[in-house]
Structures are given as C-alpha cells and as structure tokens.
Amino acid sequence: MEKIESFKINHLNLEAGLYVSRRDIRGECVITTFDMRITAPNREPVIDMPALHTIEHLGATYLRNCERKNEVVYFGPMGCRTGCYILMFGNLAPADIYPLVIKMCDFIINFEGEIPGAKPEECGNYSEQNLNMAKYYIKKYKHDLQTFKNFEYKD
C-alpha cells in the first residue's frame, strides 16, 4: 500500500502551528485540509480526551456559526491527540484562515456556560468534557501560533 501523505511528514520536527495537510480537488471544487497542531508530537504530552472533546465541540460550534461558515467542511480532532483538522472549501493557505483560527481560539478561551452539544441526546460521550483544560491548551496554542507563526512543515 502507498504511504499516506500525513505519514510522510517527519513528526520529530513538527511544532505547534497551522499547516496545509493536503488539498483535494474534484473538478472545480478544492478542499484544503489544515493541520491545527496544538502540541509538538512526541515531545509534549498529548491533549487529554476531555479537553480535546471540548475543543472539538466549541471549535465546531464557532466555525459553523462564524462569518465564513459556508466555507467550513469539517472540524475535528486528530487521532494522535496533538491537534485538530480544519477542512475548508477553496485553495487556501494558512494565512487565509489565520484570523479565523485566532477568533476561534478567542471564542474557546472566553467561553462560559454549558458546552454546546454536551447533552446525552446530542453526543455519544456527552459527559467527557473539560472546559478549563480546553482553555489551557488553546491559550498555549494561540500564544505559540502568534509567537512562532509556524505555517510550513520543516524537514
């Protein structure tokens, strides 16, 4: 079998950042997948599941309600628990969604109240949430992203 593109990235050199993971093109439709890498793989602890679950709920809620909601295809966690994927319609670069990601981070950091979709009839694991830890990880990510502006994979 052919090795998939994401496995060809040297994760030992990967830092927190916002990267283009892939572009899928069908006819005139382009979908750009972004790697929202919150922690450095294999060097920092992975995001704990309750915090990652909360980031997923809040990030998806923000993106599906923001000014660019019609461009959003998907937002969800990476299986390795070091970040999330953002899929957007269009042939985009990280700079194209950087302001959107910062706004999403601010939404998560400032969120108070009941986590959207955290009811048994709305989610298959509704009780596994941790808002305080989600805020911790996203504050760190926002700081790292604004400080280092990691937008390209380094080999």
Side-chain angles (χ1 to χ4, degrees), residues 105-147:
C105 289
D106 289 338
F107 174 79
I108 294 170
I109 292 165
N110 295 312
F111 187 84
E112 296 295 332
E114 187 177 311
I115 297 164
K119 294 180 181 171
E121 63 272 18
E122 299 170 333
C123 178
N125 192 13
Y126 76 98
S127 65
E128 189 176 54
Q129 304 281 342
N130 189 329
L131 180 58
N132 289 331
M133 286 306 296
K135 289 180 178 194
Y136 167 82
Y137 286 110
I138 293 299
K139 282 179 191 174
K140 179 192 174 305
Y141 174 72
K142 180 183 173 189
H143 174 267
D144 289 349
L145 187 61
Q146 290 179 314
T147 303

Side-chain angles (χ1 to χ4, degrees), residues 49-67:
M49 280 308 301
L52 188 58
H53 194 196
T54 301
I55 292 167
E56 175 194 13
H57 278 237
L58 293 176
T61 296
Y62 177 79
L63 292 172
R64 294 289 186 185
N65 287 280
C66 74
E67 68 279 359

